Amino acid sequence: MSGGAKNQATFPIPSSLQELESAPYNLLPYPQDFDDDDEAARAESFSKLIRLLEGGNRTLLNSGLGLFEVEDEDEEDFDAWNGNERIQALYTLVRKSDSLAPATRGKLVKVLCNAVHGLCEALESSSSAGAGMVMQSQTQTGESQEGSPASGSYVVSQAFRDALACHIYMLFTVMFLTESKEKLGKSLGTTATTSSGRSKKGGKSKKNQNSDKGEDLAASRAMCAEAMYNAAITMSSQKSKLWKRSVPDEAVVGLPCRIAYQILEAATGVHARKASSGDKALQMIAATVDSAPCLLNTVVSALVDLLHTYDHMAPLCAELCTIVKESPSNILATELLREIGRLDTDGYSDSSAAGNKASGIKNVAPFISELAAVRPRVVLSNISLLLPHLDSEPYVLRSAIINSIGHILVREDHSLVETKEDKDGDSGDESEEESNTIKEQRQMVRLAKTRNSLFDILCDRTHDITSFTRAASLKVLNDLTEKQSLPLDRIMPVTAIAIDRLQDKTVMVRRYAMQLVTSLLENNPFMGMLNPDLYREKIRELEAYLKDNVPEEILKARDAALEEAKQNDDDESGNGVEGEDDGNAEKERQEIESAALAAAIADAESKHESNEDLSEAESEFLARIRGLKFASSALSFIEVFENANDSFQTMLMSSNPSDVTEALRFFVKAKHFGLPCAVTGMKRALALMWSNETNIQDEVLRAFVEVFVAEPGTEGKELLPENQIAQNFLDLAGEATVSELASIEEALGRLVKKEIIPPDVFSILWTMASQAEGQLRASAMLVISMAAGADPKIVDSAYRLQNLYDAGLGDYTEEHSDWKTARSAACALQRVARAKVDPSSAKYIILDLITERLVAVARGDWCDDTNEEDTNSWFCAAEQAINAIFTISPAPEKVSMEILLGHQAGIFGSQEEAPSSGTAHSLRLSRFFFVLGHIALKLLIYTEVLSSSVRRANSAKSVKKQESASSGKKNMDSDAESKEGSDEEEDDAIEAELGIAAQAEAETELQAAEISEHEIVGRGMISLFTPMLLRVVANEEGTYSSPVLMQSATLALCKCMCISKSFCEKHLTLLFSVLAKAPNDDQDLRANIVIAVGDLAFRFPNEVEPYTPRIYACLKDKSTRVRRHTLMVLTHLILNDMVKVKGNVCEIALCLQDQEPRIRDMARLLFHELSKRTNSPIYNLIPDIVSQLSQLNLKQEVFRHIMLFLLSFIKKDKQNEMLMEKLIQRFPNCTSINQKADLAYCIAQLKVNDKCIKCLNDTFKLYKDALFDEDVLKNFMSVMSKAKKNTKLDTKDALEELEAKLNEHAAAGMENVKASKKAARAKTRAAKRTARKKEWEESDEEEEKLSEAESERGELEFDEENQPENRKAPLAVADKAAKRSSGRSNRSRRGVRS
C-alpha cells in the first residue's frame, strides 16, 4: 500500500476485513514472497511475518512518537514503520488467525497488543520539546510557547493516526473472530478452540486439553482487552493530540465499543465475566462515551439491543452508568431511560405476535431498578419518562418502576431532589443569607411534593391488577419501613393498606403484607408497650389538665357558653319540653368543652409557630398538647391492629404454611409490644401444634418459647427469670379453653422433654399451688399436671405427692369447694404409676390418703344442692377424680363400689334408716347418674387393660421358656439336667401341638368379652340402677324437668350402651326417641346424643346402621351447634368407612351452603378427603347428588355453587366422559326447564375431549328440545368454546356439525316458543272476546226484563198515589237498581262494539 499525503488518512477503517484487498488498501491475501509449498514452509512463512512485526515493535519502542514526526524526507522513509510490508503482514496473519498454530497465534496477539501499547505510550509520553518543534512549523500565533500535547495546540501526524487505527482495527478483528468462534461453539454445545491442530497420540487427555485451551483463551482475552482498553483510554484522554479541534474519528473511536459489546454478551455470570474481561469492556464503553459524545446514540442503541436480548445485561448496564462521568449529568443513563420510556408495549400478552417483545421487555425492566439502586438521582430526574409505563400491560415494567421508587425514597431527603439553581447573576453579599434561605425553602417544598407523589404511586400500586406488582409495592414499603424511611404521616395509611392486603387471593401478596405489618409494628414511632389501657388513661389525664388550664379568655368564653346553654335548658324545661332534653344538654355541654379545648390548642400552636416568647405555663401547656397528640396517635395505631385481629386469625389458620409462619412471627412481635390481640392470637396458634406440617409445629414451638420463656429479641437464647416464666404459664393457662389447654400441654410437654424450662420454675409453681388462692392455685396445679405428662418425676415422689395432697385435695379445697384445683390435682395424679400394696411404703400410704379424698370428690360430698353452678363445676372434677382412681388404686373396682354406695346413701338413705320422703334432689340424681355412667365406662377400659396385661404376661412367659430352653441346650453339664431339659421341651412341644397356649389366650379374650357384655351392666352393681336410669331418660310422664338431670342421665345411658352390644341394641330406639323429642331450647342434650351416637357407631356399627337416616336428619337441626357436631361425627364415620354415604350425601352437600362458616369448611374438608381416595367416591356420588338436589327446588345459585365445587374434583378423562353421558341421559326425565338448565351447567363444568364431542353428537336428540332456553344454549356453547381449544384436527368436522345443529335447533326452538306464546296470547284474546260476547247477550236479556218492568210500572202509576209509604220505598229501591243495571249494560255494550 502506498503512503498518503501528510494530512490525509491512508488507513480508513474498512467495513470488513476482506475489503482491505480493494482500493485504497490494495492488499494481497499473502505477501509475494510467501512460501506455501508445504506445511513446514507455510509455518516458517508465518513465523517470518511475526518476526517482521516484532522488529517493528522494537523500533517503535526505541523511537517513540518521533518515528512519525520526521519532516523533509522521502515518503518511503516517512512511512517506513507503517509501510506496506507491515500492513500486509498484519493482514495475512489476522486473516488466517483461526488456522494458525496456537504458539504462532499467541505471538500474533502479543505482537498486536505490544504495538497498541507502544503507540499509546508514545502518544502519552511525547516530550514538550518535540511538540514545540512541530508547533513552530505550524506557524500558529497567540499560542503559549510552552505548549504540550495536553494543551490542545499540538496534533500528531497523519502517519501516527493511520498506524494507531490500523493496529487497533487488526486487534479488533482478532478479538472479533475469537469471540465469534467461542459463541458458535457454545451454541453448538462444543468448546471452541483456538487451533485446528490435533493432539498427538500419547498426549494429554481431552479434559486436560480443553482446560488448558480454556486457560489460554482467557489469558488471550485478558491481554487483548487490556490493550483495547488502553487504546480507548488513550484516545479519550489524548483526543486533542490525535485530532484537530479534538473532533475524533468515529470509526476508530468506536472500535473498542464494538468489541466490548461482544465481550458483554458472554459475561453471563461472575466467573464468565471475569474470564471474558467484562470489567474492561465496561470501561472501554465508558471511555468512548466520555471522549466521543457523537457516538452516544450508537452506544445507546447497541446497549438497548443487548438489554432486549440478554437477561444478564441489566446490572452490567447499570454499572456502566456509574463509570460514565457525572458532569454535567449522566447523559448515558438519561438516554437509556429515554429509550425505555419509548418502548412499545402494545400486544404484550398476545403470545402469537409478541413472544420476542415480551422476553425483551422482561430483560429490560430490571435495568430500571438496578440503575435506581446506584444512581437514584438520575432516575428521579427522568422519572417522568417512566411513569407512563405504570398504565402499560407488562407487569415487569410496573414492578421495576415500583422498585426504583423504593430505591429513590430510601435515600436521605436532601439527596432526593437534584438542586437546580439559577446561576445567571449575583444578588450581592447583603442578600446572600436571604437567598440561601429562600433556596432551601424551595428545595424542601419540592422535596415534600416529590415524596408525596412517589408514596401515592406506591400506595396505589398495592391494588394493581397483577399480583407480582402488588407484591413488589408491599415489599418496597416494607424496605422503607425497616430502613426508617417511612414518613410519620404515612404510617397509618400504609398500615391500613397492609391489613387490607391480608385478604388478597395470592399467597405472595399476603406474605409481603404480613411482613409489612410486622415491620410497621416493630419500627413504630411510639416504641415501647402498646397497651391501649395505658394510653387511654394518659389521654384522660392530659385532657383533664388541658381543660383545667385553658387560657383566661377562652375559659371565660367557655363558661359563658355553658351558662347560656344551661339557661336555654331551663327555659325549655319550664315550657314543659321533656324527653331527650337531658341527653341533648349533656351532649351540648361536651361539644362546648371540646370546642374550647380545640381553640386553646390552636392558640398555643399559633404562638409557637410565630416564634413568640412563651411563659413557663404556656410552654408546659404546649408540651401537654404534644403529649396528647402523641398518645392519641398511638391509640389510633393500636386500634388499627386490634380491629384487624380477625384478619390475623385468618392468616394464622390458613392452609398455606407461608401464611401461618408470617402470622406467628407477627404475634410474637405483638406479644413483645403488649398488644391485646397477641394473647388470643398465640392461644389460637397453639392449636397448630397438631398440624401435619413439621415446620409449622417447629415454628409454633419457637414462637411459644420467644413469647413465654425467652427474653424478647434473643431468639430463645436467653431465658426470662424463673418467676416470670412461671407467671407467664399461669396467665396462659388461667383463661384457656379445653382445646387450648390440650395445645398448651403439648407445647409444654415438648419443652420439658427438651429440658428448655428450668427446674426452678416448677418449684415456684409448687409454692404457688400451696400458698395461693382461687384461680391462681388451680392454674399452678394445672401447669404442674401438664408438665408431669412429659416428666412424671415432677409429681411421682412421696414428697411431691404429699404437697399435691395438701395443695390440691386438702382442707382449702374442701372449704371453698374449689373444683378447678381438685380437677388439676386429679389430672396430675394420672401421671403417677399404680401403687403396689405395701403398708410400709410412704408412697403407698400417701396414695391411700389421696384415694380417700378422691372418693369424697367423686361422691360430691362438698357440693351445694342449692347451687346448680356448683354441680356443673363438679362434673369435670369428678370425671378426673374417677380417672385418677383407676390410675393409682390397686383395686379401683372396690373404690368404685364405695363411691356408688355413697351416692345411693345420699339419695335413698342408708339401710339402717329409711328415707324421709319418696323424692330426691335433681342435682343429686344428676351427680349420681354422671358417676354411674363414667364408672361403667372406666370398668370396661380397666377390663381391657387387665386382659392385655394377661396376654402380655403369657407372651413373656412363653418367651422366657424359649430362652431357657435355648440356654439349656448350650449349657447341659450332666445327664440328669439333659433329661430334665428334654422333658420340658417335650411338654412344650406337646402343648404347642395341641394349641393349649392359643386356647388359653382365646379363653382370656372370651372372659374379658363376657365381663364387658354381661357383667358390668348386666349382672353387676351398675345393673341395679339401670332401670331407674332408663325411667328417667324415657320421662314418659314428664316428671323430670331439670335439664341438667336429663343431660346427665342421657349421657350415662350412652356410656352404658357403649359397654354391651345387647344393651345398646335394646335401647337404641329409646335413645333416638329422646333425640327426636328433645326440647328446642335444649341444644346441649341433642348435641351430646349426636356425639354419643358417633361413638356407638364406631363400637357397634351393625346395630347403629339402621338408624343412619336419623343421624343425617340432624343436619337440618335449627341449632348451629347440633348441625356442626352432626357433620363432625358423620365426617369421622364416613372417612373411617363406618357409615355408608350414598343415599344421604345430598344432606352433606347442602352443608356447603350453610350459614355457619365452620360447617361449610368442614363439609369442604370431607369432600377433599374423599377426593384423595382411589375408588373415586365423589364421581360415584355426583349423579345421586344431582338427582336429589333437583327435587328440592333450590335456588339456582345454591345448586350451581354446590355442583361447581363438587365437579372440580373430577380430573380423569374417563370420569368426565362417563359423567357427561350420565348427565345427558337425565334430560328426558326432567320436569322443568330449570332442571335442564342445571344439567347443562354441570355438563359445561366438565373437561371436554374428543369422546365427549362424540357423545354430545350421538345423544343430541335427548337434549335438543331444551336448546330454546338461553341458559341451556349458553352452557352448551361454553362446551363448544372449550372443545375448540383442546380437540384435535380430526374432530373439527364433528365439532362444526354439532355447533351447527345447536344453533339450528336453538333457532327453531325459539321460533316454536314464540309461536307458542303467540298462540297463547291469541287464545287469551279469544277467551276475552267470548266472555265479552256472553256479557253482551246477558245485558240484552236484562234490557228486555227492564223494558217489561217499565211497562208494568206504567200500568201501576195510577195506583202509586194511593199506595202506603211502606210500599213506595221498595219500589224506589227497585227503580234505582234497574237504572244502575241499565247503565252497566250500556257501558258493556259500548265496550264490545268498540
Side-chain angles (χ1 to χ4, degrees):
M1 185 180 77
S2 62
K6 187 172 183 180
N7 292 324
Q8 182 179 356
T10 59
F11 193 87
I13 302 299
S15 59
S16 64
L17 186 63
Q18 287 73 19
E19 190 178 336
L20 293 176
E21 298 181 9
S22 59
Y25 314 97
N26 299 322
L27 298 178
L28 300 174
Y30 296 97
Q32 294 180 354
D33 58 347
F34 192 85
D35 189 357
D36 199 15
D37 294 340
D38 53 20
E39 289 292 334
R42 182 182 179 87
E44 180 60 29
S45 298
F46 282 131
S47 299
K48 183 178 179 182
L49 296 177
I50 293 294
R51 287 194 295 271
L52 173 65
L53 297 177
E54 289 176 346
N57 288 352
R58 286 192 293 270
T59 303
L60 175 64
L61 183 63
N62 294 329
S63 301
L65 190 62
L67 186 63
F68 303 92
E69 304 296 342
V70 179
E71 295 187 3
D72 301 328
E73 291 189 2
D74 295 337
E75 190 174 323
E76 290 79 4
D77 296 333
F78 181 74
D79 278 337
W81 189 84
N82 197 36
N84 285 344
E85 186 178 6
R86 183 176 178 87
I87 296 177
Q88 179 65 62
L90 284 173
Y91 173 67
T92 301
L93 289 170
V94 170
R95 191 173 69 89
K96 292 296 182 180
S97 60
D98 286 344
S99 60
L100 294 177
T104 306
R105 188 180 184 283
K107 291 179 181 180
L108 170 62
V109 171
K110 187 175 181 180
V111 166
L112 278 174
C113 293
N114 290 337
V116 172
H117 283 301
L119 291 170
C120 295
E121 184 179 354
L123 180 62
E124 292 176 352
S125 62
S126 58
S127 62
S128 59
M133 283 195 306
V134 177
M135 284 189 293
Q136 291 176 5
S137 68
Q138 292 176 349
T139 65
Q140 296 180 354
T141 60
E143 299 291 335
S144 175
Q145 295 301 317
E146 50 188 39
S148 65
S151 66
S153 60
Y154 168 73
V155 179
V156 298
S157 65
Q158 183 63 42
F160 182 84
R161 288 197 292 270
D162 289 339
L164 183 63
C166 176
H167 285 78
I168 291 177
Y169 176 74
M170 293 300 176
L171 179 61
F172 161 78
T173 305
V174 170
M175 297 177 69
F176 177 81
L177 294 175
T178 303
E179 296 296 333
S180 300
K181 188 173 182 180
E182 185 69 13
K183 184 177 179 181
L184 178 62
K186 288 182 178 179
S187 63
L188 297 176
T190 60
T191 303
T193 61
T194 59
S195 166
S196 60
R198 299 179 181 177
S199 60
K200 296 182 179 180
K201 186 175 181 180
K204 294 183 179 180
S205 65
K206 186 175 181 180
K207 182 177 180 181
N208 292 334
Q209 288 180 359
N210 291 338
S211 177
D212 294 340
K213 291 176 181 178
E215 292 177 359
D216 295 341
L217 178 62
S220 176
R221 276 177 167 174
M223 186 185 300
C224 294
E226 183 65 31
M228 191 64 77
Y229 167 68
N230 193 10
I233 292 296
T234 302
M235 288 188 291
S236 174
S237 60
Q238 307 296 331
K239 62 180 178 179
S240 60
K241 297 181 183 180
L242 282 170
W243 298 284
K244 291 181 180 180
R245 293 181 294 276
S246 300
V247 178
D249 186 352
E250 296 182 12
V252 178
V253 176
L255 288 175
C257 287
R258 290 170 61 184
I259 195 60
Y261 303 147
Q262 273 200 317
I263 292 175
L264 292 179
E265 289 179 9
T268 55
V270 177
H271 297 290
R273 177 175 175 176
K274 184 178 180 180
S276 61
S277 302
D279 294 336
K280 294 297 180 183
L282 294 177
Q283 293 171 0
M284 291 180 211
I285 300 175
T288 304
V289 172
D290 293 337
S291 63
C294 56
L295 290 176
L296 179 63
N297 292 334
T298 305
V299 173
V300 169
S301 299
L303 291 177
V304 171
D305 184 65
L306 289 174
L307 282 171
H308 273 86
T309 308
Y310 302 100
D311 58 354
H312 67 277
M313 282 300 300
L316 294 176
C317 290
E319 185 178 348
L320 174 61
C321 293
T322 64
I323 302 174
V324 175
K325 291 181 180 179
E326 295 286 340
S327 177
S329 63
N330 197 322
I331 189 170
L332 177 62
T334 301
E335 290 299 322
L336 286 173
L337 291 175
R338 185 173 284 110
E339 289 297 323
I340 293 174
R342 295 170 183 166
L343 284 177
D344 181 17
T345 59
D346 294 337
Y348 173 80
S349 62
D350 187 2
S351 58
S352 62
N356 294 331
K357 179 189 290 187
S359 61
I361 293 176
K362 185 177 181 181
N363 296 336
V364 171
F367 168 72
I368 303 174
S369 56
E370 293 286 347
L371 181 62
V374 293
R375 289 294 183 268
R377 296 175 61 187
V378 176
V379 179
L380 179 60
S381 301
N382 299 277
I383 194 72
S384 59
L385 302 173
L386 303 175
L387 292 181
H389 283 307
L390 288 175
D391 298 325
S392 63
E393 195 171 357
Y395 72 89
V396 289
L397 271 180
R398 301 199 301 272
S399 301
I401 295 172
I402 293 301
N403 289 328
S404 64
I405 292 175
H407 291 305
I408 293 171
L409 291 174
V410 165
R411 298 291 183 178
E412 295 181 2
D413 295 344
H414 293 288
S415 66
L416 286 175
V417 181
E418 183 178 1
T419 307
K420 298 180 180 179
E421 303 294 348
D422 187 10
K423 301 179 180 180
D424 294 335
D426 190 7
S427 58
D429 295 337
E430 66 279 359
S431 62
E432 183 177 356
E433 184 177 353
E434 181 180 357
S435 176
N436 292 335
T437 303
I438 294 174
K439 291 177 181 179
E440 185 178 353
Q441 290 177 353
R442 290 177 179 174
Q443 183 179 4
M444 295 305 295
V445 170
R446 288 197 301 272
L447 169 66
K449 293 175 66 176
T450 302
R451 288 177 65 85
N452 287 333
S453 299
L454 295 179
F455 272 111
D456 289 340
I457 293 173
L458 281 180
C459 295
D460 290 341
R461 287 298 144 183
T462 57
H463 298 87
D464 193 275
I465 191 173
T466 306
S467 61
F468 294 101
T469 306
R470 297 198 299 271
S473 303
L474 293 171
K475 188 175 184 297
V476 168
L477 289 172
N478 186 31
D479 294 339
L480 293 173
T481 304
E482 291 178 347
K483 296 175 182 178
Q484 305 293 328
S485 298
L486 191 66
L488 295 178
D489 59 341
R490 290 281 177 174
I491 290 178
M492 295 298 291
V494 170
T495 305
I497 288 173
I499 292 173
D500 175 68
R501 289 297 87 203
L502 294 177
Q503 308 298 327
D504 200 281
K505 62 181 181 180
T506 308
V507 175
M508 177 176 56
V509 178
R510 295 199 302 270
R511 180 172 69 251
Y512 284 123
M514 199 73 234
Q515 290 177 359
L516 176 57
V517 171
T518 306
S519 297
L520 288 167
L521 178 62
E522 191 173 4
N523 299 279
N524 73 85
F526 314 104
M527 300 305 293
M529 297 302 294
L530 296 179
N531 190 339
D533 296 333
L534 299 178
Y535 282 101
R536 291 191 183 100
E537 182 63 27
K538 188 67 176 177
I539 290 173
R540 284 194 292 268
E541 293 178 1
L542 292 172
E543 287 181 346
Y545 175 86
L546 294 176
K547 289 179 181 178
D548 294 339
N549 294 274
V550 171
E552 188 68 25
E553 60 276 7
I554 298 178
L555 183 62
K556 291 180 180 179
R558 185 192 69 180
D559 293 341
L562 289 174
E563 185 65 26
E564 182 179 358
K566 183 178 179 182
Q567 185 65 32
N568 293 335
D569 185 52
D570 294 340
D571 294 341
E572 291 178 359
S573 300
N575 294 331
V577 180
E578 298 179 358
E580 298 181 355
D581 287 346
D582 295 339
N584 294 334
E586 179 65 21
K587 183 178 180 180
E588 186 176 1
R589 185 183 67 80
Q590 292 178 357
E591 290 178 353
I592 292 173
E593 291 183 351
S594 300
L597 181 60
I601 293 174
D603 181 63
E605 290 180 344
S606 63
K607 289 181 179 180
H608 175 68
E609 292 175 357
S610 61
N611 296 323
E612 296 183 9
D613 294 334
L614 301 177
S615 63
E616 184 178 352
E618 291 175 338
S619 300
E620 179 66 19
F621 190 81
L622 185 62
R624 297 299 178 96
I625 290 175
R626 293 172 180 169
L628 178 62
K629 289 184 176 180
F630 179 84
S632 300
S633 300
L635 185 60
S636 300
F637 183 76
I638 296 169
E639 288 175 349
V640 169
F641 282 89
E642 290 300 307
N643 295 334
N645 191 27
D646 292 341
S647 299
F648 301 147
Q649 303 279 352
T650 303
M651 287 283 289
L652 192 64
M653 296 295 113
S654 173
S655 59
N656 188 277
S658 175
D659 293 347
V660 178
T661 301
E662 295 299 334
L664 284 171
R665 292 172 182 172
F666 165 76
F667 280 118
V668 170
K669 297 295 182 183
K671 186 65 173 64
H672 291 163
F673 283 97
L675 282 178
C677 65
V679 178
T680 56
M682 285 306 303
K683 286 183 177 179
R684 291 201 65 179
L686 289 173
L688 298 173
M689 289 298 302
W690 313 104
S691 173
N692 295 328
E693 299 286 341
T694 306
N695 57 339
I696 292 181
Q697 294 180 8
D698 296 339
E699 191 68 32
V700 173
L701 199 61
R702 190 180 303 112
F704 185 87
V705 172
E706 291 185 16
V707 171
F708 301 107
V709 180
E711 290 281 357
T714 61
E715 297 182 355
K717 297 178 181 179
E718 298 180 11
L719 301 183
L720 291 167
E722 286 79 1
N723 56 348
Q724 183 63 44
I725 296 175
Q727 186 61 46
N728 288 342
F729 288 161
L730 294 176
D731 295 339
L732 182 63
E735 300 178 357
T737 61
V738 176
S739 59
E740 292 170 351
L741 287 174
S743 303
I744 294 171
E745 182 175 1
E746 178 68 17
L748 195 61
R750 294 194 183 187
L751 295 181
V752 170
K753 290 180 180 179
K754 294 181 179 181
E755 299 182 354
I756 295 178
I757 301 177
D760 293 341
V761 172
F762 300 108
S763 300
I764 296 172
L765 290 173
W766 276 112
T767 303
M768 290 184 176
S770 302
Q771 300 176 1
E773 297 181 358
Q775 178 64 40
L776 188 61
R777 188 187 191 100
S779 299
M781 187 62 66
L782 182 60
V783 174
I784 291 172
S785 68
M786 291 178 180
D791 185 9
K793 295 180 182 179
I794 296 175
V795 295
D796 196 1
S797 66
Y799 174 72
R800 291 303 185 192
L801 288 173
Q802 181 65 46
N803 290 343
L804 188 147
Y805 174 78
D806 296 334
L809 300 171
D811 297 337
Y812 175 86
T813 305
E814 181 178 357
E815 292 174 2
H816 296 82
S817 296
D818 190 356
W819 302 120
K820 291 184 178 179
T821 302
R823 175 187 175 279
S824 301
C827 290
L829 286 170
Q830 296 174 38
R831 275 66 177 174
V832 179
R834 191 180 303 277
K836 296 181 180 179
V837 179
D838 185 6
S840 62
S841 172
K843 181 179 178 180
Y844 173 77
I845 294 173
I846 189 61
L847 284 177
D848 190 43
L849 295 175
I850 289 174
T851 302
E852 293 180 1
R853 302 297 286 185
L854 291 174
V855 169
V857 172
R859 285 202 305 256
D861 294 346
W862 311 334
C863 286
D864 182 7
D865 291 342
T866 61
N867 187 356
E868 183 175 325
E869 190 64 30
D870 183 63
T871 298
N872 290 333
S873 301
W874 169 86
F875 285 131
C876 294
E879 179 183 4
Q880 298 302 327
I882 295 172
N883 293 342
I885 289 172
F886 276 86
T887 301
I888 65 174
S889 176
E893 68 280 1
K894 296 181 180 179
V895 179
S896 301
M897 184 179 296
E898 181 181 351
I899 294 172
L900 293 177
L901 292 175
H903 275 285
Q904 180 189 12
I907 296 172
F908 305 108
S910 60
Q911 296 179 356
E912 289 79 9
E913 58 183 50
S916 57
S917 64
T919 61
H921 200 282
S922 60
L923 294 180
R924 288 194 177 187
L925 276 176
S926 302
R927 294 195 295 269
F928 172 62
F929 287 144
F930 178 82
V931 170
L932 181 71
H934 196 62
I935 286 177
L937 191 61
K938 295 301 294 184
L939 285 173
L940 173 64
I941 298 172
Y942 182 63
T943 303
E944 293 178 350
V945 169
L946 292 179
S947 176
S948 300
S949 300
V950 172
R951 288 197 298 271
R952 286 196 300 270
N954 292 334
S955 299
K957 184 178 179 181
S958 60
V959 169
K960 187 176 180 181
K961 284 184 178 181
Q962 292 176 3
E963 291 177 353
S964 62
S966 300
S967 62
K969 288 181 179 180
K970 296 179 181 179
N971 302 318
M972 291 180 180
D973 297 333
S974 62
D975 295 340
E977 290 178 354
S978 176
K979 183 178 180 180
E980 184 180 356
S982 61
D983 292 340
E984 291 180 358
E985 292 175 7
E986 185 177 355
D987 295 340
D988 293 339
I990 294 173
E991 290 180 2
E993 184 177 358
L994 296 176
I996 296 177
Q999 183 180 1
E1001 184 175 354
E1003 289 179 356
T1004 302
E1005 294 179 357
L1006 289 174
Q1007 187 176 3
E1010 176 68 19
I1011 293 173
S1012 61
E1013 181 68 24
H1014 301 290
E1015 189 68 27
I1016 297 177
V1017 295
R1019 295 190 292 267
M1021 184 177 181
I1022 294 177
S1023 63
L1024 300 176
F1025 303 103
T1026 52
M1028 181 177 63
L1029 176 64
L1030 294 171
R1031 181 178 179 182
V1032 173
V1033 171
N1035 195 17
E1036 296 177 353
E1037 299 177 358
T1039 307
Y1040 311 104
S1041 59
S1042 172
V1044 177
L1045 174 60
M1046 294 304 299
Q1047 293 171 15
S1048 178
T1050 306
L1051 183 61
L1053 175 62
C1054 293
K1055 290 182 178 180
C1056 292
M1057 292 170 66
C1058 287
I1059 298 171
S1060 172
K1061 181 188 294 186
S1062 58
F1063 190 86
C1064 173
E1065 186 176 7
K1066 183 178 180 181
H1067 300 102
L1068 269 174
T1069 305
L1070 172 62
L1071 185 62
F1072 279 100
S1073 65
V1074 172
L1075 176 62
K1077 297 177 182 178
N1080 292 330
D1081 56 347
D1082 195 355
Q1083 61 178 356
D1084 294 336
L1085 178 60
R1086 300 197 301 278
N1088 290 342
I1089 293 176
V1090 168
I1091 295 174
V1093 168
D1095 295 335
L1096 292 174
F1098 266 98
R1099 186 159 173 80
F1100 310 120
N1102 295 332
E1103 283 68 25
V1104 179
E1105 195 272 335
Y1107 299 91
T1108 302
R1110 298 195 185 185
I1111 303 177
Y1112 278 97
C1114 295
L1115 291 173
K1116 299 180 180 179
D1117 196 279
K1118 296 180 179 179
S1119 172
T1120 302
R1121 180 183 175 188
V1122 176
R1123 294 200 307 274
R1124 179 162 55 87
H1125 286 184
T1126 304
L1127 183 58
M1128 179 180 63
V1129 168
L1130 287 172
T1131 299
H1132 286 285
L1133 293 175
I1134 292 170
L1135 295 180
N1136 288 280
D1137 297 324
M1138 306 302 295
V1139 168
K1140 294 181 180 179
V1141 67
K1142 194 170 184 179
N1144 300 285
V1145 69
C1146 176
E1147 305 296 338
I1148 298 179
L1150 288 174
C1151 292
L1152 293 169
Q1153 289 293 298
D1154 196 275
Q1155 297 178 354
E1156 175 64 27
R1158 289 181 292 181
I1159 295 178
R1160 296 198 300 268
D1161 294 341
M1162 192 176 300
R1164 287 175 174 269
L1165 175 63
L1166 172 59
F1167 285 110
H1168 272 294
E1169 294 298 324
L1170 287 175
S1171 66
K1172 298 177 183 178
R1173 300 193 173 184
T1174 57
N1175 57 349
S1176 304
I1178 295 183
Y1179 162 73
N1180 297 322
L1181 293 172
I1182 282 181
D1184 191 17
I1185 294 175
V1186 172
S1187 176
Q1188 295 185 32
L1189 291 180
S1190 301
Q1191 298 174 5
L1192 297 178
N1193 295 324
L1194 298 174
K1195 293 182 179 179
Q1196 189 180 72
E1197 296 80 8
V1198 175
F1199 176 87
R1200 296 190 175 185
H1201 188 276
I1202 293 173
M1203 294 311 303
L1204 177 63
F1205 174 76
L1206 295 177
L1207 290 171
S1208 64
F1209 296 108
I1210 307 301
K1211 305 292 185 183
K1212 298 179 181 179
D1213 292 340
K1214 187 65 175 178
Q1215 293 180 355
N1216 278 278
E1217 298 163 9
M1218 298 298 294
L1219 192 55
M1220 180 174 289
E1221 183 178 358
K1222 290 180 181 180
L1223 292 174
I1224 293 175
Q1225 296 294 336
R1226 290 179 176 269
F1227 269 89
N1229 299 327
C1230 294
T1231 58
S1232 66
I1233 191 62
N1234 290 333
Q1235 293 181 359
K1236 295 182 179 180
D1238 290 338
L1239 287 177
Y1241 175 81
C1242 295
I1243 293 173
Q1245 306 311 310
L1246 298 173
K1247 295 181 180 179
V1248 183
N1249 55 22
D1250 299 340
K1251 292 185 178 180
C1252 292
I1253 297 300
K1254 184 177 183 303
C1255 177
L1256 289 171
N1257 261 321
D1258 295 342
T1259 58
F1260 182 77
K1261 61 181 180 180
L1262 298 178
Y1263 59 86
K1264 66 178 182 180
D1265 295 337
L1267 293 175
F1268 71 89
D1269 185 72
E1270 294 182 1
D1271 197 5
V1272 175
L1273 180 62
K1274 177 183 176 182
N1275 288 312
F1276 277 105
M1277 296 309 294
S1278 174
V1279 175
M1280 294 296 100
S1281 299
K1282 290 194 292 184
K1284 291 178 181 179
K1285 298 178 182 178
N1286 303 324
T1287 53
K1288 301 177 183 177
L1289 293 176
D1290 53 358
T1291 59
K1292 186 176 180 180
D1293 296 338
L1295 188 62
E1296 292 177 353
E1297 178 187 355
L1298 177 59
E1299 187 174 10
K1301 288 195 296 184
L1302 288 174
N1303 292 326
E1304 178 183 356
H1305 282 78
M1310 291 299 296
E1311 292 179 359
N1312 293 336
V1313 171
K1314 290 180 181 178
S1316 299
K1317 291 181 179 179
K1318 186 176 181 180
R1321 289 195 297 269
K1323 185 177 181 180
T1324 303
R1325 288 195 298 268
K1328 289 181 179 179
R1329 287 195 298 269
T1330 303
R1332 288 171 182 171
K1333 183 177 180 181
K1334 184 177 180 181
E1335 185 178 358
W1336 181 71
E1337 292 176 351
E1338 292 177 353
S1339 64
D1340 290 343
E1341 293 178 359
E1342 290 179 357
E1343 288 181 358
E1344 292 178 0
K1345 292 180 180 179
L1346 288 175
S1347 60
E1348 293 177 358
E1350 288 177 357
S1351 61
E1352 292 178 357
R1353 187 187 306 163
E1355 295 176 357
L1356 297 175
E1357 283 181 356
F1358 178 77
D1359 299 329
E1360 284 182 358
E1361 296 180 357
N1362 300 325
Q1363 294 294 330
E1365 292 298 329
N1366 57 355
R1367 294 282 304 273
K1368 291 181 181 180
L1371 290 175
V1373 173
D1375 189 23
K1376 292 180 180 180
K1379 289 180 179 180
R1380 285 196 297 270
S1381 176
S1382 176
R1384 286 195 298 270
S1385 299
N1386 293 333
R1387 287 194 297 271
S1388 176
R1389 189 181 302 110
R1390 286 196 300 269
V1392 172
R1393 290 171 182 173
S1394 63

